[in-house]
Amino acid sequence: MATIATTRPTLHKVTGSIGAEVEGVTLSGDLPQETIDWISDALVENKVLFFRDQDIRREDHIAFGRRFGELEVHPFAKHISAFNTGDDDPEIIVIESRKDGGARGTDMWHSDVTWRLEPSLGSILRCLVGPEAGGDTMWANMETAYDLLDDETKQRIEGLEAEHDWENFRNGLRNAGVPEEKIAAMSEDFPLARHPVVRTHPVSGRKAIYVNSIFTTRIVGMDKAESDALLDKLFRQTAIPEVQVRLRWKPGTVAFWDNRSTQHYAVGDYGAQHRLMERVTVCGDRPH
Ligand code: OGA
Ligand code: MN
């Protein structure tokens, strides 16, 4: 007798502000549309979803991601030492710790690929090998981070725009021996992006701080000192404990986050221990 597939998983909130663990679903491309819709809604509401014990293959991960939109191919990952792409799967980003415990690049608060004109809607990260201890990831709810700003700052940032650049990848490209002419050509393909400092979520209509410490370089129309001071103030909102959630990974744990309303930080406390993750990234739209 056929069993009736459950289309509504169970959700357990992890904090009062952000993050929920989802139980009762195995991620694959074959889930009923009703379950995909349920996950989309839960994502917007909770901002990051955690799925445990996912004994799935890379194909399932990719096929699951495709149900939420087109998957993007990261133009630089294959050149950067802490990253790579899957051999035959360009939409996979492999994030693997280095044996010398050296530079990771993700241990700063950020939202993914905000240097794109149309940055990612969300990222789906799967743990293949986790350190015995350490290597957690943290997320910050940037809507609550916005709400907790004082009124004067809210008024000051209304309508402002900021520039986002992939400068931190340029050194990685140089170290990987990519010639200057090629880097110049990439800079033409991926010019500076301008986005609103306060983004309105296209689904929920809620406002969020949309500048981050890895990619945002300056606020348009402000002198450097003023821009640096204001950006620093906005970046520091991620440090408020009431906007944060922290995940302890195990092999088979998957996290799916909304890049439009969150930032994340990979805690770099595991030295030379092995940590191996794979990510797929769902394309997004132009921020407003
Ligand atoms: C990412 C990232 C976090 C981590 O996948 O976008 O920043 O915990 N990684 O590895
Ligand atoms: Mn990231």
Side-chain angles (χ1 to χ4, degrees):
M1 217 172 86
T3 45
I4 297 165
T6 319
T7 54
R8 282 176 178 270
T10 318
L11 188 127
H12 309 276
K13 285 186 185 282
V14 178
T15 75
S17 163
I18 174 172
E21 198 158 317
V22 176
E23 213 184 13
V25 63
T26 301
L27 308 183
S28 81
D30 302 330
L31 289 168
Q33 189 56 41
E34 197 188 335
T35 309
I36 298 295
D37 293 343
W38 183 94
I39 292 172
S40 290
D41 292 347
L43 179 70
V44 172
E45 173 67 25
N46 297 281
K47 301 178 178 66
V48 55
L49 301 176
F50 307 133
F51 303 87
R52 295 289 191 182
D53 304 316
Q54 295 291 320
D55 184 16
I56 61 170
R57 297 158 306 165
R58 186 186 271 182
E59 302 92 277
D60 301 309
H61 185 188
I62 293 172
F64 174 71
R66 284 219 172 98
R67 298 293 299 277
F68 298 90
E70 215 180 300
L71 299 184
E72 67 173 53
V73 174
H74 197 290
F76 314 123
K78 61 176 180 291
H79 301 292
I80 308 293
S81 64
F83 305 128
N84 211 327
T85 46
D87 296 333
D88 299 313
D89 303 298
E91 55 282 271
I92 289 280
I93 299 182
V94 180
I95 301 175
E96 187 159 21
S97 55
R98 287 174 29 182
K99 292 198 174 55
D100 63 3
R104 308 189 196 280
T106 50
D107 48 355
M108 278 171 84
W109 285 101
H110 67 285
S111 173
D112 292 326
V113 299
T114 63
W115 41 269
R116 283 187 186 269
L117 298 176
E118 297 188 336
S120 154
L121 175 158
S123 299
I124 307 172
L125 188 64
R126 179 166 76 103
C127 177
L128 286 84
V129 179
E132 194 63 40
D136 294 357
T137 304
M138 300 177 69
W139 285 265
N141 177 343
M142 299 314 293
E143 293 173 355
T144 312
Y146 172 81
D147 293 341
L148 292 173
L149 288 170
D150 57 88
D151 288 341
E152 194 196 318
T153 306
K154 282 184 189 160
Q155 273 167 23
R156 195 166 158 223
I157 62 179
E158 190 68 39
L160 291 180
E161 289 191 317
E163 279 179 359
H164 296 243
D165 190 13
W166 48 276
E167 177 60 30
N168 72 322
F169 290 129
R170 283 196 186 89
N171 283 332
L173 294 172
R174 286 191 185 109
N175 293 341
V178 176
E180 282 306 318
E181 312 85 80
K182 185 139 188 245
I183 297 177
M186 288 171 162
S187 301
E188 279 184 29
D189 289 343
F190 299 98
L192 282 180
R194 275 189 184 189
H195 300 306
V197 169
V198 179
R199 178 175 190 171
T200 303
H201 196 286
V203 179
S204 71
R206 295 196 55 185
K207 289 180 177 180
I209 295 174
Y210 197 65
V211 289
N212 71 82
S213 62
I214 295 194
F215 302 124
T216 311
T217 47
R218 68 177 193 106
I219 295 180
V220 178
M222 242 179 223
D223 70 47
K224 182 162 170 27
E226 195 186 355
S227 168
D228 285 352
L230 182 53
L231 284 176
D232 187 55
K233 181 177 181 130
L234 298 173
F235 294 164
R236 275 188 280 117
Q237 291 297 97
T238 55
I240 301 171
E242 285 77 8
V243 311
Q244 297 177 342
V245 65
R246 180 168 180 144
L247 174 68
R248 173 98 271 273
W249 296 96
K250 281 189 263 205
T253 302
V254 174
F256 186 178
W257 64 89
D258 188 334
N259 275 311
R260 301 165 297 188
S261 57
T262 66
Q263 292 188 27
H264 54 284
Y265 183 117
V267 180
D269 62 349
Y270 53 100
Q273 292 180 79
H274 193 200
R275 183 178 188 271
L276 175 63
M277 319 286 278
E278 290 191 354
R279 178 179 114 193
V280 301
T281 315
V282 182
C283 293
D285 56 7
R286 181 144 205 158
H288 293 288

